[in-house]
Amino acid sequence: MATETEVGELLHQRGWRKTFTVTERVNAWGALIGVIERGYGDDVCEYTNDLYCRNWLHEAWLLLDEHLVQLWTPRIKALDDQYKAVTVDDDGQALDQFRRLPGPDLWWWRRHPRILTGNLGRSLRSVGAIGIDADQT
C-alpha cells in the first residue's frame, strides 16, 4: 500500500490531469454536494466532469495505506450519505442518456440531483428524470 503522495503521483501517471491529494478530492466532493443541495445549474458535461472527484477517491482507496483509509473513511462516508440525501437513485437511466456510465460499483453515477434546475435540470427532465423544481424549494 502507498502513501497519499505516492497514490497521487501514481494516479496522475495513470491519466488523472494532475497529482491530487486526498484532501483536495474530499473537499471537491464536499463542494459538489453543497452545490447540488442548492441546485446544480450548470450543464450535463460539467456535472459528469465534477463527479470524477469521487472516482478519484474510489481509485485511491484501493491503493492507500490502511491507516489513511481508516482516517478518511468516516468523512467520505458522511459525504456519500449527504450525496444520497440530495440526489435521486434512478439506476443511472437519466445520465446514461448523455454519456456511457462506468461500472455499477461507481454508484454515484446512478443518481441525479433531486433539485432539477438550470441546464442540467432541463437536460435531465428531457429524458424523463423526476425531481423537485428549484422554484418549489
Side-chain angles (χ1 to χ4, degrees), residues 26-46:
V26 168
N27 288 343
W29 184 227
L32 173 60
I33 294 164
V35 172
I36 292 169
E37 283 177 326
R38 294 183 300 278
Y40 191 101
D42 219 330
D43 62 24
V44 173
C45 290
E46 272 306 307

Side-chain angles (χ1 to χ4, degrees), residues 16 26 35-36 39 50 56 63 66 74 87 93 96 117 121 137:
W16 287 91
V26 168
V35 172
I36 292 169
D50 288 345
W56 189 96
L63 304 169
E66 184 63 28
T87 57
Q93 292 179 25
D96 194 42
T117 189
T137 58

Side-chain angles (χ1 to χ4, degrees), residues 43-94:
D43 62 24
V44 173
C45 290
E46 272 306 307
Y47 180 71
T48 57
N49 184 58
D50 288 345
L51 286 177
Y52 277 99
C53 64
R54 186 60 179 84
N55 286 42
W56 189 96
L57 290 167
H58 179 76
E59 288 184 35
W61 251 234
L62 302 173
L63 304 169
L64 281 170
D65 288 331
E66 184 63 28
H67 169 75
L68 289 169
V69 169
Q70 289 177 3
L71 180 71
W72 281 101
T73 293
R75 175 71 178 132
I76 293 171
K77 183 179 179 340
L79 288 171
D80 287 350
D81 290 345
Q82 189 179 353
Y83 178 76
K84 290 174 184 174
V86 300
T87 57
V88 174
D89 183 352
D90 73 346
D91 199 31
Q93 292 179 25

Side-chain angles (χ1 to χ4, degrees), residues 4-18:
E4 184 175 344
T5 302
E6 292 167 340
V7 168
E9 290 170 1
L10 179 61
L11 291 177
H12 178 57
Q13 291 169 4
R14 290 183 181 177
W16 287 91
R17 68 180 168 86
K18 68 175 244 181

